[in-house]
Structure formats: C-alpha cells, structure tokens
Amino acid sequence: MGNYYSSNPRFYVGIDCIIFGFSNGELNLLLLKRNFEPAKGEWSLMGGFVQADENTDDAAKRILNELTGLNNVYMEQVGAFGNVNRDPGERVISIAYYALINADKYDRELVQRHNAHWVNINKLPPLIFDHTHMVEQARKLMKQKASSEPIGFNLLPNLFTLSKLQSLYEAIYGETLDKRNFRKRIANMEYIEKTDKIDKTSSKRGAALYRFNPKVYQEEQKFKL
Amino acid sequence: MGNYYSSNPRFYVGIDCIIFGFSNGELNLLLLKRNFEPAKGEWSLMGGFVQADENTDDAAKRILNELTGLNNVYMEQVGAFGNVNRDPGERVISIAYYALINADKYDRELVQRHNAHWVNINKLPPLIFDHTHMVEQARKLMKQKASSEPIGFNLLPNLFTLSKLQSLYEAIYGETLDKRNFRKRIANMEYIEKTDKIDKTSSKRGAALYRFNPKVYQEEQKFKL
DNA sequence: TCAAAAGTGTTAAGTTTACACCCATGA
DNA sequence: TCATGGGTGTAAACTTAACACTTTTGA
C-alpha cells in the first residue's frame, strides 16, 4: 500500500513569478532586491513554495498576491525548471508563471516591504539561479500570446488611448510600429471600443479613450471555428 | 540552516510522456494499457518519477527510453500539472513532455512488455487522471511548433517522399492541404533536399525521396535576424 | 504662434488560395 | 490498357507594408 509512490524521493516545489507591468511607455518587471537569505543582496523573481493541499496555480496566485495585494490577475504558466543544481541551497523544482498587472493598481506598501522594484525589461540586472532563463522564456511566450490573443489589456487601465496601446505593443514586440497601419488594424477589431471620453493628460489636443470589451471578443471567437 | 526550505512540504514529482508517432498516414500516440497499479486496466500515458540527482529533462528522457529503448529523441516540455487531487492515490505534481519518434525505430519488445499500443490521435480512449488534458495541451503545442519550425522530420525516416510529408502535416494540422501549394512551399525550403533516390513502395511510377538537412536550416536561421 | 501629440487613405508588394491536367509504371 | 499515385503553373483574392500631411490646443 502506497509502495508505488513511496520508493521515490520527494522535492520542494517552488513557484517563481515574472510580473510584467507597463508604465511611461516601458515594459517592466517587478523584481526583488533580496533582503533575505539565500542570495541576500542579489536580484531575483518573487517566489515561494507550493504548500500541501494547494494547487500549483493557486500557489502562484497566492505568491503574486503576497507581493502585490492583487487578485484575479492574468497569469500563465511558463513551465517547470528542474535542473539538479539550479538552486545551490537545496534541490528545488520550480514552476514559473508570468503575470500581467496594471502598474497603477498594486499595493505599494507591500512592494516596498519586499524591497521590490520595477526594472525595465531591456535593462535587467543579473538574476539569481536560473531566473534570467525563466524571464527569457516568459517573455517569448508572452510576446507570442500577445500576438494572437488580446492579453495586452491586462497591462493597461480600463480606458486607454490608441497611442498608449501602440506603445505597449511596441514594447512587447521590441520594435516600432507604423501608426496608420496599427490604427487600421485596431479599427477592424470590434472588441476595442471607442468611448466618448477624452484623455487630455498626454496631449494638448486630447486623445479619444478606448476600452476592451471581452464579451464582444468572446462572441467573435465563437464564429471563428 | 536549511530553515528557509525546511518549513515547506515536499512532493513526488512525476513525468508523463506524450509520445507521437506517424505511420500509415496517421498520427498516433503510444499509450499504456496499464497492467499495474494504480488504475490497473485503464489507459494512461507512460510515466515515472523524478529521482534525486536527476534533472527533470533527464528524467523525461530516461522514462521515454524505458518504454521505447530510444535515445536522442526530440522532446519538449508541455508544462507542470499540479492540481491537488489529480492523482487520487497521492499528491503528485507531474511534468508533461511530448516526444516525436520515428515509428519504425523503437524497441518492440519493450513496448510489448509495458503493454503499450499505438492509438490514433483522433480515437483516443479515456485516459486516467488529467492525462487527456495533458494530451490536448501537448497536441496544441506541437501543432504550433510544427508550423514554425521543422520538427516534423523527427516523425519520419531519413528519406521520405513529398506525399508522406504532406500526409504528415495533414495529420498534424487536422486538415487537408492543396498538393501544388504544399509542394511550392517545400520547394522554397532549401533545407529540404531532393535526393536521387526513388521510392517505389507506394506507387508504380515511383516518387523522389527527400531529406531534411539541419545544417542548411541552421545556416538559414542565422540570416533571419 | 508654435510645439507636440492626434488623427487620417492610398498604392505597391508580397503572400495565400483556388484550381485541373499529364506522366510513368506495374499489374 | 488502365488504375494509381507523382508531378507541375497561373491568376485572383487577400494581406501587409510603405509612406506625409492636417488638426487641435495649451503654453
């Protein structure tokens, strides 16, 4: 009884979160400057351990919440990282998740308490363990997903201008986009709705505010079989 | 010392393999009709457990080898599956991998000993635990990868006709392709080389045999930055 | 009045799709 | 001689890419 399992070793299972945020036209990651062991003083992803009676997806949500105070955040699993010596302290098999958060709406106090900072994705410091590798994979995956599904809106406030949306996608793709072609494409997406509100904060003339309508998107998908 | 880790629980970490093979124009999975507990008598993926001092990728290779006798097989991680009750016997967090093998070149005796069988991907029986879910994700991922990288060749012998190649991609995509358009596309891929050999097994006239040249492919990729 | 961001269409190039017949051979 | 799978080109539809000027308004 239980023999099938019990001849095998057991492992700590970690969770590491690649937290994307977008502000001032830049794509950033929320990284910890660790004020705790192991690897105190170095940069790392926010992490933690899966607990007994906890789904791994729930562990990821919990750990994201511990740092940001946020719930109902868009998260995707990146994969498992299980090299023997990836964590020099102990054998830990880690599952990485990326999260897309609205960089206006997180708990600043919690973030400060963890000594976490937003760092531009193109200017990342060296990270501990295999965290750089996790970030690379997360970024690739996110980019790919963003090009086929409307996940970018998770990084924006509810209302946004087309200029903001364009600069977000430019940051995600790492290349500049043609303004007219971009707007033409957006105009063909019925789930991106123009509102009658105007944003005057980033130009004198003012720019129309748009909104993502997930219901319209989902309806549209049904017909795409 | 060790306190950072030791307050956390440890888990069995499993590996499950989605093994794709192609024969007679059909895409198949190698599945076990389990002649052992748990879930004896039911269908499952080939699986096993990560061992101490074993990278998870190496565990996947080992487990694939245990069933097929093969080494140096194309494998990709699908992801980690960590719901609390996914395995009713014990808490096990599993990492799924898919493998693409040449269905002519595996150890038939080993496969028989494990009571494993090739099953058409469109006629899968119910699988234990969350294995059906793993297969779905693996299939989606493989399909996506196959449309952007030349991984299909892992499912074919070294030499193959264009008809075989086409029927492989039709099986992967789950749709028929236009013969002329398909051949036009292939003709533009310099890394698919026509040989002077002829296959007479599947037609009276005989069909030219082609070969995948990975070196040419890699060279080509360098210029695509 | 002018600097700065918002907004707006057209054309060319490239890619994808649709489509039908002749060829070579062994049985 | 005929059934079977192998092999070939062109035109239309669609998608993507390139490109520049006018508008509005607060400072």
Side-chain angles (χ1 to χ4, degrees):
Chain A
M1 173 64 218
N3 217 49
Y4 174 76
Y5 301 98
S6 62
S7 60
N8 295 293
R10 292 182 301 162
F11 303 91
Y12 297 116
V13 176
I15 298 284
D16 289 297
C17 296
I18 296 100
I19 305 168
F20 290 94
F22 181 68
S23 65
N24 302 120
E26 297 193 336
L27 198 55
N28 303 299
L29 293 186
L30 191 51
L31 297 176
L32 305 192
K33 179 118 195 189
R34 294 165 74 99
N35 49 13
F36 55 94
E37 292 296 350
K40 186 168 171 173
E42 297 185 61
W43 289 93
S44 79
L45 297 169
M46 176 68 184
F49 290 91
V50 176
Q51 299 302 307
D53 302 315
E54 184 181 45
N55 294 339
T56 50
D57 288 355
D58 293 332
K61 288 178 201 159
R62 169 176 58 77
I63 288 159
L64 181 77
N65 176 270
E66 284 170 13
L67 177 60
T68 64
L70 297 171
N71 291 302
N72 294 115
V73 171
Y74 179 87
M75 294 187 89
E76 292 274 352
Q77 190 192 117
V78 176
F81 294 76
N83 277 355
V84 171
N85 295 310
R86 50 172 298 280
D87 182 331
E90 273 275 7
R91 176 79 194 266
V92 178
I93 293 170
S94 258
I95 308 174
Y97 287 78
Y98 74 82
L100 306 183
I101 77 173
N102 175 342
D104 299 334
K105 286 193 180 158
Y106 59 90
D107 187 322
R108 278 139 215 277
E109 208 201 322
L110 270 176
V111 163
Q112 205 157 30
R113 204 181 309 152
H114 282 86
N115 202 29
H117 304 271
W118 287 105
V119 182
N120 184 293
I121 189 118
N122 298 311
K123 295 171 190 161
L124 297 179
L127 303 177
I128 65 166
F129 307 170
D130 50 3
H131 287 194
T132 300
H133 185 210
M134 289 176 176
V135 168
E136 281 163 8
Q137 280 201 217
R139 205 181 164 180
K140 200 182 293 180
L141 232 142
M142 193 273 266
K143 191 169 161 179
Q144 196 177 282
K145 191 89 171 182
S147 71
S148 64
E149 287 177 44
I151 63 170
F153 305 104
N154 295 290
L155 292 160
L156 293 173
N158 270 330
L159 297 174
F160 49 85
T161 66
L162 293 184
S163 297
K164 284 278 191 302
L165 187 64
Q166 180 173 349
S167 79
L168 169 61
Y169 276 90
E170 288 177 335
I172 291 173
Y173 296 143
E175 60 189 38
T176 60
L177 301 172
D178 179 273
K179 181 161 60 157
R180 279 179 288 185
N181 291 337
F182 181 79
R183 284 170 185 244
K184 218 186 310 167
R185 257 209 347 274
I186 299 299
N188 286 327
M189 299 176 177
E190 294 185 5
Y191 53 87
I192 303 183
E193 299 173 338
K194 190 173 186 171
T195 69
D196 55 5
K197 301 208 175 59
I198 304 286
D199 170 273
K200 306 272 295 183
T201 63
S202 59
S203 81
K204 293 161 183 172
R205 177 175 173 178
L209 284 164
Y210 287 73
R211 173 204 302 139
F212 170 55
N213 186 330
K215 280 185 191 164
V216 173
Y217 177 70
Q218 278 150 35
E219 274 309 307
E220 202 168 290
Q221 290 319 95
K222 283 185 198 161
F223 289 98
K224 285 194 178 165
L225 294 178
Chain B
M1 177 62 222
N3 217 49
Y4 174 76
Y5 301 97
S6 62
S7 60
N8 295 293
R10 292 186 300 167
F11 303 91
Y12 296 117
V13 177
I15 299 283
D16 289 297
C17 295
I18 296 98
I19 305 167
F20 290 94
F22 180 68
S23 64
N24 301 120
E26 296 194 337
L27 198 56
N28 303 299
L29 293 186
L30 191 50
L31 297 176
L32 305 192
K33 179 116 195 192
R34 295 166 74 100
N35 49 13
F36 55 93
E37 293 296 348
K40 187 167 170 171
E42 298 185 60
W43 289 91
S44 79
L45 297 169
M46 176 67 185
F49 290 92
V50 177
Q51 298 302 307
D53 302 315
E54 184 180 46
N55 294 340
T56 49
D57 289 356
D58 294 333
K61 287 178 202 160
R62 169 177 57 79
I63 288 159
L64 181 76
N65 176 271
E66 284 171 11
L67 177 60
T68 64
L70 297 171
N71 291 301
N72 296 115
V73 172
Y74 179 88
M75 295 187 88
E76 292 275 349
Q77 191 193 117
V78 177
F81 294 76
N83 276 354
V84 170
N85 294 311
R86 53 172 295 282
D87 182 330
E90 272 276 5
R91 175 79 194 265
V92 178
I93 293 171
S94 258
I95 309 175
Y97 287 77
Y98 74 83
L100 305 183
I101 78 172
N102 175 341
D104 298 333
K105 287 191 178 160
Y106 60 89
D107 186 323
R108 275 139 216 275
E109 207 200 322
L110 270 176
V111 162
Q112 206 157 30
R113 203 181 312 152
H114 282 87
N115 200 27
H117 304 270
W118 288 107
V119 183
N120 184 294
I121 188 116
N122 298 311
K123 295 170 192 162
L124 297 180
L127 303 178
I128 64 165
F129 306 170
D130 50 3
H131 287 193
T132 300
H133 184 210
M134 290 176 175
V135 168
E136 281 164 6
Q137 280 201 217
R139 203 179 167 182
K140 200 184 292 181
L141 235 150
M142 193 274 265
K143 189 168 163 181
Q144 195 177 280
K145 192 88 171 182
S147 71
S148 64
E149 287 177 44
I151 63 170
F153 305 103
N154 294 290
L155 292 160
L156 294 172
N158 271 328
L159 298 174
F160 48 84
T161 66
L162 293 184
S163 298
K164 283 277 190 307
L165 187 63
Q166 180 173 349
S167 79
L168 169 61
Y169 276 90
E170 289 178 334
I172 292 174
Y173 296 144
E175 61 189 38
T176 60
L177 301 172
D178 179 272
K179 181 161 60 156
R180 279 181 288 187
N181 292 337
F182 181 79
R183 285 169 183 243
K184 217 185 312 166
R185 244 185 29 253
I186 299 300
N188 286 326
M189 300 176 178
E190 295 185 4
Y191 53 88
I192 303 184
E193 299 173 339
K194 190 173 186 170
T195 70
D196 55 5
K197 302 207 176 59
I198 304 286
D199 171 275
K200 306 270 296 186
T201 63
S202 59
S203 80
K204 295 163 181 173
R205 175 175 175 178
L209 285 163
Y210 287 73
R211 172 204 302 139
F212 171 54
N213 186 330
K215 280 186 192 163
V216 174
Y217 176 70
Q218 277 149 36
E219 276 308 309
E220 201 168 290
Q221 291 318 96
K222 284 185 197 160
F223 290 98
K224 285 196 177 161
L225 294 178

